[in-house]
């Protein structure tokens, strides 16, 4: 049989406004919803039977193996560097040291461009190409800009990247190598977003800011499908994720919900409690979650070693709060020194040089264990979102400081 004929065909049928549910077409370029200025979320035909065998292309060793549940309509528009299917690593030495039964880490630092951002930007740039965009623009704390620059280069689209001036040099240099136009801004990612609006006032470029187009979320959700597949269609009891803009947290939860509807998870499967991990220097979600502010709209954060967590006013805050409520999850914020300690522990015990964001996730698990929110007999999954190599200028000389 011709292999092409057996590839999964996308079941996308609509987009909906995350606030009011109004429907939008997935067959034309979209930003945020016109009705509420909120994220648009992709909907798929899930009630019609689709088995795991028919929905997963086992010959594809990338995130694109789940093509039926992804939004790309024509494989010719796929812009890929082999992203996804990252390893799920057990952490036996740390588990033994802390008396844990099951401690696992999904290492997204092994993606192209060195972070989980490869997933979302591969998908967003592929859809931008499919829907006729000529170029893309993005405000970034680092990794997203690098990924967009790489995938735009791969797909033949122009790329404009706006990032904070204090971003580590490795991120800037990589964008230059991909041929992107880079603009540096004093401030955090919200200040970069304001500059993006100025630069793109004529709408000539597709704005691929977090959740300002529908498809980065669809790339990120593939982490959820992979976790289930790699765990033989079981799920952890608790999943800890570093949440800046929150697309990964929202996307993983979306994947779990889709798999339940499809019947890919056994009816008795309990979804994990989701933990959003932030930096003490920039923790808007925590402040809202604890009721210390109505929302993040006026929150002011500070720079942090974990550049990806320096997102003071995330558009996806309501969706993140929904995930925490639906999963009986929580939010934890970690200090700068705590992140360094986590990097040391993961490096010394497990040979992993993780991003500060990944270290924050491990330190959050330690705190929740100490507080009794986590039990030692629970199955704990950590998400490391990037390679520590990108952060050398942030952490150099501090291994044992």
């Amino acid at each position: 049989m011709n292999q092409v004929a057996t590839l999964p065909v996308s079941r996308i049928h609509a987009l909906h406004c995350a606030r009011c549910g109004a429907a939008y077409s997935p067959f034309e370029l979209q930003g945020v919803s016109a009705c509420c200025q909120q994220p648009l979320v992709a909907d798929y035909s899930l009630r019609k039977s689709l088995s795991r065998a028919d929905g997963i292309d086992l010959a594809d060793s990338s995130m694109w193996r789940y093509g039926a549940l992804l939004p790309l309509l024509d494989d010719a528009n796929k812009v890929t560097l082999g992203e996804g299917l990252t390893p799920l690593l057990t952490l036996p030495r740390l588990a033994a040291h802390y008396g844990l039964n099951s401690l696992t880490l999904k290492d997204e630092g092994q993606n192209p461009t060195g972070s989980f951002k490869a997933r979302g930007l591969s998908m967003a740039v592929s859809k931008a190409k499919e829907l006729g965009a000529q170029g893309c623009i993005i405000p970034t704390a680092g990794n997203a800009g690098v990924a967009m620059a790489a995938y735009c280069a791969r797909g033949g689209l122009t790329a404009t990247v706006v990032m904070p001036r204090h971003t580590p040099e490795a991120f800037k240099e990589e964008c230059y190598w991909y041929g992107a136009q880079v603009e540096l801004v004093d401030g955090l990612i919200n200040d970069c977003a304001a500059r993006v609006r100025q630069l793109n006032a004529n709408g000539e470029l597709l704005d691929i800011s977090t959740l300002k187009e529908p498809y980065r979320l669809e790339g990120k959700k593939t982490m959820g499908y992979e976790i289930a597949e790699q765990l033989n269609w079981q799920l952890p009891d608790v999943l800890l994720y570093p949440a800046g803009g929150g697309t990964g947290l929202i996307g993983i939860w979306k994947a779990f919900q889709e798999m339940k509807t499809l019947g890919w998870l056994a009816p008795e499967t309990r979804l994990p409690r989701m933990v959003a991990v932030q930096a003490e220097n920039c923790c808007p979600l925590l402040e809202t979650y604890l009721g210390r502010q109505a929302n993040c709209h006026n929150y002011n954060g500070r720079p942090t070693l974990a550049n990806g967590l320096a997102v003071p006013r995330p558009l996806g805050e309501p969706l993140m709060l929904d995930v925490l409520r639906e999963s009986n999850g929580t939010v934890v914020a970690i200090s700068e020194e705590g992140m360094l300690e986590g990097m040391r522990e993961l490096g010394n015990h497990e040979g992993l040089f993780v991003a500060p964001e990944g270290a924050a996730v491990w330190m959050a698990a330690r705190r929740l264990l100490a507080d009794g929110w986590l039990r030692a007999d629970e199955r704990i999954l950590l998400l490391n979102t990037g390679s520590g190599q990108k952060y050398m200028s942030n952490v150099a000389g501090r291994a044992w400081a």
Side-chain angles (χ1 to χ4, degrees), residues 42-59:
D43 296 321
Y44 298 82
S45 300
L46 302 179
R47 299 295 176 183
K48 197 184 302 181
S49 176
L50 179 68
S51 68
R52 295 196 298 246
D54 291 334
I56 303 175
D57 177 13
L58 296 178

Side-chain angles (χ1 to χ4, degrees), residues 4-35:
V4 174
T6 67
L7 293 176
V9 177
S10 175
R11 291 193 169 199
I12 191 168
H13 70 87
L15 303 170
H16 74 267
C17 171
R19 177 175 289 172
C20 74
Y24 289 80
S25 170
F27 307 115
E28 56 190 72
L29 284 171
Q30 302 282 5
V32 294
S33 67
C35 50

